[in-house]
Amino acid sequence: FPVTIGVLEGNELIMKPMILRGFALLLCLIITSHSEEEYKPQNYSTELLKKAESGDPKAQLQLAGCYKEGRGIGKDKTQALGWIEKSANQKYPLAQLMLGQCYLDGEIVQKDENEAFRCYKQAAENGCTEAQNNLGSCYYNGIGTVKNNEEAFKWIKKAAEQASSEFYSKIAPDAYFILGQLYDRVVS
């Protein structure tokens, strides 16, 4: 939906925050009931291992979680990273998202913001709502890339438009704040 704003006079200090809040509210209203696949942790099992070894990207990501968190098997960062990478290499968006998070927090792999950005971008382009939000945040804050308000606005708005209410309630306060700030910079 195209939005244009004329020059605000007189009550500009009062009107701008009202416009930004109105924009955030409008985004709340356009959120659909589209549900994103969720990662539900499982415990290690020989069945899970067989599925992962046969190439199932969901099982590979689950197995990575078992190794990363020590669920039913000893913690092993190398195994965790290996299984996440196998799943991500099959273009499984949740694995790409998780791999990006691993690079961003540096927990099981050396911190690398450029790699985190690359992984978030892959997952975002493959339709992962949380990755779209994270990618927008990277653009907004200059994490792994140069700051770019237009790209930040595009990706965070895209996440807001397709997110389910349950998911978006986790990221809504920060995302709407960023969207409001970007709206002020990009549209005004």
Side-chain angles (χ1 to χ4, degrees), residues 104 112-118 138-139 141-146:
L104 190 63
D112 185 336
E113 291 180 349
N114 293 329
E115 273 300 299
F117 174 83
R118 184 188 66 76
C138 285
Y139 277 119
N141 295 300
I143 297 171
T145 188
V146 295

Side-chain angles (χ1 to χ4, degrees), residues 83-134:
W83 286 109
I84 292 172
E85 287 175 334
K86 284 180 184 181
S87 182
N89 288 338
Q90 293 188 67
K91 299 186 183 351
Y92 184 46
L94 288 179
Q96 293 168 327
L97 170 70
M98 298 270 185
L99 186 57
Q101 194 59 46
C102 289
Y103 278 113
L104 190 63
D105 66 26
E107 186 180 339
I108 64 171
V109 68
Q110 184 174 346
K111 184 174 180 159
D112 185 336
E113 291 180 349
N114 293 329
E115 273 300 299
F117 174 83
R118 184 188 66 76
C119 293
Y120 286 154
K121 187 166 186 179
Q122 288 176 340
E125 289 171 347
N126 286 326
C128 179
T129 306
E130 189 170 353
Q132 291 167 348
N133 183 71
N134 291 359

Side-chain angles (χ1 to χ4, degrees), residues 28-81:
C28 280
L29 296 175
I30 63 173
I31 290 174
T32 68
S33 61
H34 175 278
S35 65
E36 176 160 316
E37 181 179 359
E38 289 187 40
Y39 174 80
K40 295 180 180 152
Q42 294 180 4
N43 285 328
Y44 178 87
S45 69
T46 54
E47 182 181 319
L48 181 61
L49 177 61
K50 286 178 186 174
K51 282 183 176 178
E53 287 175 337
S54 73
D56 181 333
K58 292 178 185 179
Q60 290 170 338
L61 184 60
Q62 287 291 341
L63 187 59
C66 292
Y67 281 113
K68 183 176 183 254
E69 299 165 10
R71 288 192 317 261
I73 196 164
K75 287 185 179 186
D76 186 331
K77 292 179 181 183
T78 303
Q79 284 287 333
L81 180 62

Side-chain angles (χ1 to χ4, degrees), residues 146-179:
V146 295
K147 287 184 178 186
N148 185 326
N149 291 334
E150 287 82 11
E151 284 295 308
F153 185 84
K154 174 182 114 179
W155 285 106
I156 293 173
K157 181 176 178 269
K158 186 172 188 147
E161 289 175 340
Q162 76 175 22
S164 69
S165 298
E166 180 182 324
F167 165 78
Y168 211 67
S169 66
K170 294 190 296 187
I171 62 172
D174 291 338
Y176 287 139
F177 174 76
I178 292 171
L179 276 172

